[in-house]
Amino acid sequence: MSDHSTEKTRKVDFVTLGFVGLFFVIYFLVPKSSAIKVDGDFRLFSLYLQPWFLQRYFLVALCLGYACLMFVLGNVKLTQRNLLYLILTLLLLTYQFLEGEFVVFYAVTGVVSSYCLIFQVYKREFPKWFLWCAVLAAAAYVCQYFAYRVSVRITSSFLDPNIAGYYLFLCYVVFRAAGIKTLAGIALCCGALSLSRNFYLAVFVFELVNIKYVTVFLKNRLALRSPLIVSIMSLAAILLVSFSIISFSNPNDTIGSTSDRLSNINDGSNYSRSMANIEMLHRLADGDFWLKGLGNEMDLETEHRPHNAFLRAVYRYGMALSVMAFIGFFFVMAYNVAYNYAFFISIFAYYTLLNDFITGPDLTLMLCVGVISHAFKLSRGKEDDI
């Protein structure tokens, strides 16, 4: 009995505290853009996001450094299954390196660091001061919405209102777990004023699943506890929607940056995204992307990249390496199924409709948010509420 109590009250080590803390600082506190106000042409965003591109290199190094340190210190055991996973992944990486594609290295960094992180935080306690520092970093991110503009829409230093909205949603989840209604309300208002449809959907699903009856129904009656099954369902749903939009939308309709975008999905923007998803399926059927992806580039056959996290990962890394990354993603998401079910379900509003947030350091950030949220709920005795 005493051993069980001791295990529950063990503290998170300082290396892991520093690792999680740096993730919150880099993603939420440090600005990503060299400009505060830009026009609405998304193709020009990369000109202003050089600080963010440099930060991503640091995040990759941070993930690999943390994982190596955990293995060297013996905090994480290298099992036969882990070794087989690493060997297969390294073989796939080597093939793409020889083909001149190096962005694939990004795909596995989040998997190895997240794997190590789970074992360092499981049944361990975060200091209260650390949890509140995480809240301050998230609050600093919300404050960016008072300064940055893309055309007439408010946003953060990530510039793209949809991508910025993803990180805003992560902050909202932290505020809700901490029970800070004021900050949650401010984040909600910022997301609403940014006119990001993904943010609206994610918050709606999050609050809906937070209703205990809905959680019980989804988790027990429908048995939606498998990250693999939910991922397959989300992929099937977006492909069905994509086929429907292509059939009924007018590709020449535009909605711009006004509030009309919230009540209209039959527009040129969604048509282009849907077409990109369907074209990706056609190219896979033709034999493309099975062993090698296009990284961050576009070839002559690509007009738009897919707008789905799983399809985008395949586009970037190829199917073979993406499957290895997906295995890590499913493992990490199992943590949120157990401790942050509403977060687990609602974040698919972004995975289904937007870019690749399921690989690289973004996977680790998602886990960090889940870990901090669970720690807050434990400290407040509200584990079943969120």
Side-chain angles (χ1 to χ4, degrees):
M1 185 69 175
S2 60
D3 291 342
H4 180 68
S5 299
T6 302
E7 179 69 22
K8 289 184 68 175
T9 57
R10 288 180 64 188
K11 304 292 185 181
V12 176
D13 63 87
F14 284 108
V15 174
T16 299
L17 288 179
F19 178 70
V20 175
L22 280 173
F23 256 78
F24 269 72
V25 167
I26 294 171
Y27 269 100
F28 297 139
L29 190 60
V30 180
K32 306 295 177 286
S33 170
S34 59
I36 293 179
K37 186 174 182 179
V38 300
D39 62 32
D41 189 348
F42 71 92
R43 292 168 295 185
L44 301 178
F45 288 170
S46 60
L47 299 177
Y48 309 106
L49 291 173
Q50 293 303 317
W52 169 230
F53 299 150
L54 293 175
Q55 292 166 34
R56 289 199 297 187
Y57 286 117
F58 178 78
L59 286 167
V60 169
L62 180 63
C63 287
L64 292 178
Y66 175 75
C68 290
L69 186 59
M70 291 298 103
F71 281 114
V72 169
L73 294 177
N75 292 358
V76 179
K77 303 298 182 182
L78 188 60
T79 64
Q80 289 184 341
R81 184 180 298 178
N82 295 343
L83 187 59
L84 177 61
Y85 179 90
L86 289 175
I87 291 174
L88 290 175
T89 302
L90 286 174
L91 288 174
L92 292 170
L93 285 174
T94 301
Y95 168 76
Q96 299 216 37
F97 287 165
L98 294 176
E99 292 290 315
E101 187 58 69
F102 299 101
V103 75
V104 292
F105 195 61
Y106 192 83
V108 297
T109 55
V111 173
V112 293
S113 59
S114 298
Y115 179 83
C116 294
L117 179 59
I118 285 180
F119 288 100
Q120 301 313 301
V121 301
Y122 181 66
K123 290 187 177 180
R124 299 192 184 187
E125 184 180 352
F126 279 88
K128 288 187 177 180
W129 63 264
F130 183 85
L131 297 179
W132 289 107
C133 285
V135 168
L136 289 176
Y141 180 79
V142 176
C143 290
Q144 293 182 14
Y145 274 78
F146 295 97
Y148 288 86
R149 298 288 184 276
V150 170
S151 186
V152 297
R153 297 172 67 182
I154 67 171
T155 186
S156 76
S157 58
F158 282 100
L159 297 184
D160 186 316
N162 289 320
I163 294 176
Y166 171 75
Y167 298 106
L168 182 66
F169 175 67
L170 298 184
C171 294
Y172 177 81
V173 170
V174 171
F175 299 149
R176 287 283 282 106
I180 309 175
K181 295 181 180 179
T182 302
L183 285 177
I186 294 174
L188 183 61
C189 290
C190 289
L193 293 174
S194 71
L195 303 179
S196 171
R197 293 177 288 196
N198 285 94
F199 183 83
Y200 278 80
L201 179 60
V203 170
F204 172 77
V205 174
F206 180 80
E207 296 300 340
L208 179 64
V209 180
N210 263 325
I211 301 172
K212 192 168 185 178
Y213 172 80
V214 177
T215 298
V216 171
F217 179 77
L218 293 176
K219 206 171 185 180
N220 298 330
R221 295 288 184 87
L222 296 184
L224 293 181
R225 296 187 295 268
S226 167
L228 173 60
I229 296 301
V230 174
S231 298
I232 292 174
M233 291 175 60
S234 72
L235 183 57
I238 191 57
L239 291 177
L240 179 61
V241 170
S242 295
F243 276 114
S244 300
I245 288 179
I246 290 174
S247 301
F248 298 107
S249 292
N250 184 346
N252 298 316
D253 286 346
T254 58
I255 51 176
S257 301
T258 68
S259 59
D260 291 343
R261 64 185 289 107
L262 301 177
S263 58
N264 182 18
I265 63 170
N266 292 320
D267 56 77
S269 173
N270 282 332
Y271 181 91
S272 297
R273 297 177 182 183
S274 299
M275 182 61 73
N277 293 336
I278 302 306
E279 286 178 349
M280 184 67 184
L281 286 187
H282 291 160
R283 296 194 63 178
L284 283 169
D286 292 338
D288 294 340
F289 298 107
W290 285 96
L291 287 177
K292 182 176 179 292
L294 288 179
N296 295 321
E297 305 300 324
M298 296 176 65
D299 61 12
L300 296 177
E301 298 182 51
T302 305
E303 186 174 352
H304 294 283
R305 299 181 182 92
H307 265 67
N308 172 270
F310 300 97
L311 293 178
R312 178 66 72 89
V314 173
Y315 176 93
R316 296 178 73 184
Y317 312 123
M319 178 64 79
L321 187 59
S322 293
V323 168
M324 305 304 291
F326 295 160
I327 292 172
F329 168 74
F330 298 145
F331 177 82
V332 171
M333 286 305 286
Y335 179 93
N336 284 319
V337 173
Y339 300 114
N340 302 287
Y341 189 72
F343 180 40
F344 159 66
I345 293 294
S346 58
I347 202 169
F348 273 89
Y350 280 98
Y351 295 160
T352 305
L353 299 169
L354 210 55
N355 299 337
D356 173 20
F357 293 117
I358 62 175
T359 64
D362 273 310
L363 176 63
T364 306
L365 175 68
M366 182 271 293
L367 177 60
C368 289
V369 169
V371 164
I372 293 298
S373 298
H374 181 231
F376 262 120
K377 289 183 287 184
L378 286 177
S379 68
R380 298 175 59 228
K382 300 286 187 179
E383 188 169 3
D384 293 331
D385 286 358
I386 297 179

